[in-house]
Amino acid sequence: QSAIGIIVDEVKEVVTLAEDSIEKPTAASNDVNDIRTQYVSGIGKHGEGLVTLLNVASVVGEKEGV
């Protein structure tokens, strides 16, 4: 296993979410290639809003294969 770095333009906020406030993404169909289940690890509820939790390993792994 190796370390990688990711550069972002801006971070607006860092929050801690309780496990019970995170829902697993569900595919619209039984398609395992559905982007919601491939690149999103969950949807978190924070206050009145929602936070998308990316599966960073999938996103980075996809780029490495190019």
Side-chain angles (χ1 to χ4, degrees):
Q1 198 172 30
S2 61
I4 63 162
I6 297 176
I7 298 173
V8 298
D9 292 328
E10 180 179 2
V11 175
K12 294 190 183 232
E13 185 177 6
V14 176
V15 299
T16 301
L17 300 173
E19 278 192 50
D20 62 347
S21 70
I22 300 172
E23 294 183 19
K24 296 288 183 192
T26 56
S29 64
N30 291 330
D31 184 3
V32 294
N33 294 320
D34 189 315
I35 195 165
R36 287 171 281 203
T37 56
Q38 189 175 5
Y39 296 113
V40 176
S41 63
I43 304 294
K45 297 175 188 167
H46 178 65
E48 295 294 318
L50 299 175
V51 179
T52 302
L53 305 173
L54 286 179
N55 181 339
V56 177
S58 291
V59 173
V60 172
E62 184 73 23
K63 285 291 188 186
E64 287 180 354
V66 173

